[in-house]
Amino acid sequence: MACNKSSARIVRVRVVNVQGTGEPLPSDAEVFARINRASKLFQEYTNITFTILPSYTFKERSSQPGSNDCGLLCCIPRSNRCVPVSLTKAYRDQFYEKRLKPYLVNKDPDVLLLVNTGLSIQEKGVAALTQSPAGGVKIIWFSPEAVKFYNNPLQKTKEHPYVIAHELGHALGGKHGSSKTNLMYYTDTEFKYKDDEGKLLTIPFISDNDCILFRKSSYTKAAASQSGGVRRPLLKPTKKKIRKRKTV
């Protein structure tokens, strides 16, 4: 099912890499591939396209378990040593206030940020989540599991090809759907959709209500305005020829 598509709209997104957490980060190529997959879906079903801006990197001081110099995200001080932790809400809030808000959000609040820390999320079974700190701002936090590609058929870890697409839907205002064939269903859904390699995945179902929310989001802008407007060629006025009636 596709929405009633009107004018094309775009959403600008930026990946924020946080180095120094002690964990390897998924590469920009891996993350961009998931965003591009989401963009294909949203463009086809809602006429919304995601434009990826250059990634931004925060270099946090290195924090190793057992040391007494704890970084901002992945370790906490306990008895003169650092203890590794997962990405808790408290740490997400702290990083937003100290890094994301002053350096990125305040400068361009219309850019949707996806934060790549290499850390697992504290909430059990959650590969990615969308947070709303304040003022309508949405931040997508994702773990490596949300973007990882597993090419080995013997790999037991499950691949999650639509997690980022699902979270982008939340960031644009979409709620959880009740149908298992809905992109916004609360857990992994089985779609049939041809990816870039021609593999048959599933046809994502997006409800009309989701479409309305997506297109009304503060992050969606008319495509023409983002490119400086569409310039049309000037047309020279033409003189109409007046036919004279023949008189008998």
Side-chain angles (χ1 to χ4, degrees):
M1 175 182 177
C3 305
N4 293 323
K5 296 189 289 187
S6 54
S7 60
R9 303 184 74 81
I10 69 171
V11 176
R12 294 180 300 150
V13 300
R14 190 189 302 278
V15 175
V16 180
N17 296 310
V18 184
Q19 296 179 349
T21 61
E23 298 294 333
L25 299 181
S27 67
D28 279 352
E30 288 179 302
V31 182
F32 290 175
R34 293 307 191 195
I35 298 173
N36 284 329
R37 171 173 281 182
S39 188
K40 283 178 61 178
L41 299 181
F42 276 82
Q43 187 174 24
E44 181 175 347
Y45 288 87
T46 68
N47 215 10
I48 292 174
T49 302
F50 295 100
T51 298
I52 304 174
L53 302 180
S55 60
Y56 191 96
T57 299
F58 286 104
K59 293 183 178 180
E60 297 299 310
R61 69 176 184 269
S62 180
S63 54
Q64 297 297 327
S67 71
N68 57 7
D69 183 17
C70 299
L72 183 61
L73 279 175
C74 76
C75 287
I76 56 174
R78 291 281 171 83
S79 302
N80 296 323
R81 65 187 183 91
C82 291
V83 179
V85 295
S86 56
L87 195 56
T88 64
K89 183 180 184 304
Y91 275 76
R92 296 194 298 264
D93 291 343
Q94 179 178 255
F95 194 80
Y96 173 78
E97 289 295 333
K98 292 187 177 182
R99 299 289 190 270
L100 300 178
K101 185 177 179 181
Y103 290 99
L104 294 174
V105 175
N106 288 345
K107 294 180 180 179
D108 199 344
D110 292 332
V111 175
L112 185 55
L113 302 179
L114 291 86
V115 186
N116 180 19
T117 65
L119 299 173
S120 60
I121 295 173
Q122 182 193 37
E123 287 81 348
K124 186 177 181 181
V126 175
L129 57 80
T130 301
Q131 192 171 0
S132 305
V137 174
K138 305 286 186 182
I139 305 293
I140 296 176
W141 300 84
F142 63 90
S143 66
E145 291 76 21
V147 297
K148 189 68 177 176
F149 287 83
Y150 296 107
N151 298 320
N152 185 350
L154 300 178
Q155 178 72 43
K156 293 182 179 180
T157 308
K158 187 178 180 181
E159 187 175 339
H160 304 281
Y162 293 102
V163 169
I164 293 297
H166 177 95
E167 292 306 323
L168 286 167
H170 279 314
L172 298 186
K175 309 298 182 184
H176 278 147
S178 58
S179 170
K180 290 184 178 180
T181 59
N182 193 315
L183 175 66
M184 300 310 296
Y185 191 60
Y186 72 92
T187 187
D188 287 342
T189 45
E190 297 298 330
F191 297 141
K192 286 185 179 179
Y193 190 85
K194 281 191 176 181
D195 65 6
D196 295 334
E197 298 177 355
K199 295 177 182 177
L200 194 61
L201 305 171
T202 346
I203 298 178
F205 181 95
I206 300 176
S207 70
D208 282 334
N209 186 52
D210 284 332
C211 293
I212 295 169
L213 290 171
F214 294 157
R215 295 185 62 81
K216 283 186 175 181
S217 168
S218 61
Y219 288 107
T220 60
K221 306 295 177 185
S225 66
Q226 290 293 330
S227 58
V230 178
R231 300 186 66 179
R232 297 183 179 181
L234 296 175
L235 300 178
K236 294 181 179 179
T238 56
K239 294 182 180 179
K240 291 183 179 180
K241 293 182 179 180
I242 300 175
R243 293 184 179 180
K244 293 183 179 180
R245 291 185 178 180
K246 292 182 179 181
T247 57
V248 179

